[in-house]
Amino acid sequence: DQQVKQNSPSLSVQEGRISILNCDYTNSMFDYFLWYKKYPAEGPTFLISISSIKDKNEDGRFTVFLNKSAKHLSLHIVPSQPGDSAVYFCAASDEGGSEKLVFGKGTKLTVNP
Amino acid sequence: DTGVSQNPRHKITKRGQNVTFRCDPISEHNRLYWYRQTLGQGPEFLTYFQNEAQLEKSRLLSDRFSAERPKGSFSTLEIQRTEQGDSAMYLCASRLSSNYGYTFGSGTRLTVV
């Protein structure tokens, strides 16, 4: 039973355009959400997070939107750069319960020059 | 601060052998986590330590797996009687209790032949 779903295995965008990566979750107890970026042969690197008390968090080119009623979050990257090409993982946590992060399967983003 | 260090980076072992991996977290981080990632999947939680105490274990952590963090600093993950299904990337992460910023290591890739 996948509690965090990233339904697009891959996404390709042109340099300078917007990249939108989507994530859905099923567990209503999740109250903290994170995005990680992963290059081959490296561990995941933290990008941005959002608490369930917010609906938007912005950090430079990266913005995360949270729609609690739809149990949906998205990561916007604008403008996209070739160096953003990586696998992006959405993760969720129930801060009041388990310590674990529950990850989606990831979306491979390719930004073409 | 050199980040989270994991050794070895790669391990090839024959089925039935025992293997041990080491994780050195960021020195001031009191929480340490082990995750496992298989091809096409996101990282899956295995276990978590606060200082030297192992506080949470996943059902994925069968009785062939054991993790320790004897002095609240580095941690080891041992797999006994390895099986081909144990082939995966084993990731270690650490963080401070007061901060949600998980830092992952580069992982140990295990191949069981």
Side-chain angles (χ1 to χ4, degrees), chain B residues 18-73:
Chain B
N18 299 344
V19 294
T20 300
F21 312 138
R22 176 177 171 126
C23 171
D24 288 90
I26 293 172
S27 56
E28 63 268 29
H29 286 187
N30 59 340
R31 297 191 179 193
L32 185 147
Y33 307 80
W34 285 97
Y35 283 78
R36 180 176 74 183
Q37 185 177 15
T38 53
L39 199 61
Q41 303 293 320
E44 296 173 291
F45 172 80
L46 291 178
T47 190
Y48 138 69
F49 291 84
Q50 181 162 312
N51 301 311
E52 66 275 8
Q54 187 175 19
L55 297 184
E56 191 172 350
K57 290 165 61 172
S58 162
R59 291 171 303 179
L60 291 175
L61 213 67
S62 75
D63 55 7
R64 295 185 298 106
F65 288 69
S66 62
E68 294 183 341
R69 194 183 182 197
K71 297 181 181 178
S73 56

Side-chain angles (χ1 to χ4, degrees), chain A residues 1-46:
Chain A
D1 175 28
Q2 263 217 298
Q3 298 184 68
V4 177
K5 299 178 184 179
Q6 293 178 257
N7 292 319
S8 298
S10 62
L11 175 68
S12 184
V13 300
Q14 285 299 119
E15 181 178 5
R17 306 294 291 268
I18 186 171
S19 296
I20 300 176
L21 297 101
N22 293 304
C23 178
D24 297 292
Y25 62 96
T26 57
N27 188 341
S28 57
M29 298 299 292
F30 288 149
D31 53 11
Y32 200 84
F33 304 90
L34 307 91
W35 284 94
Y36 280 84
K37 174 179 175 179
K38 187 178 185 302
Y39 294 115
E42 293 184 14
T45 303
F46 171 74

Side-chain angles (χ1 to χ4, degrees), chain A residues 2 31-32 34 36 38 41-46 89 93-95 97-106, chain B residues 9 31 33 35 37 40-45 48 50 56 89 91 95 100-107 109:
Chain A
Q2 263 217 298
D31 53 11
Y32 200 84
L34 307 91
Y36 280 84
K38 187 178 185 302
E42 293 184 14
T45 303
F46 171 74
F89 291 98
S93 174
D94 164 16
E95 284 198 281
S98 169
E99 271 289 314
K100 68 181 181 184
L101 293 179
V102 180
F103 284 83
K105 290 187 177 184
Chain B
R9 290 296 305 272
R31 297 191 179 193
Y33 307 80
Y35 283 78
Q37 185 177 15
Q41 303 293 320
E44 296 173 291
F45 172 80
Y48 138 69
Q50 181 162 312
E56 191 172 350
M89 173 75 83
L91 293 162
R95 73 176 179 109
Y100 231 100
Y102 288 73
T103 301
F104 280 86
S106 296
R109 178 164 295 284

Side-chain angles (χ1 to χ4, degrees), chain A residues 24-90:
Chain A
D24 297 292
Y25 62 96
T26 57
N27 188 341
S28 57
M29 298 299 292
F30 288 149
D31 53 11
Y32 200 84
F33 304 90
L34 307 91
W35 284 94
Y36 280 84
K37 174 179 175 179
K38 187 178 185 302
Y39 294 115
E42 293 184 14
T45 303
F46 171 74
L47 263 180
I48 192 169
S49 62
I50 188 167
S51 165
S52 59
I53 61 173
K54 295 186 174 181
D55 54 20
K56 177 182 173 181
N57 189 25
E58 194 170 352
D59 183 2
R61 297 186 297 115
F62 302 92
T63 303
V64 57
F65 296 92
L66 175 62
N67 182 335
K68 283 186 303 229
S69 60
K71 293 191 178 70
H72 176 84
L73 62 156
S74 60
L75 174 68
H76 292 210
I77 307 173
V78 58
S80 301
Q81 300 173 353
D84 296 329
S85 298
V87 178
Y88 288 77
F89 291 98
C90 171

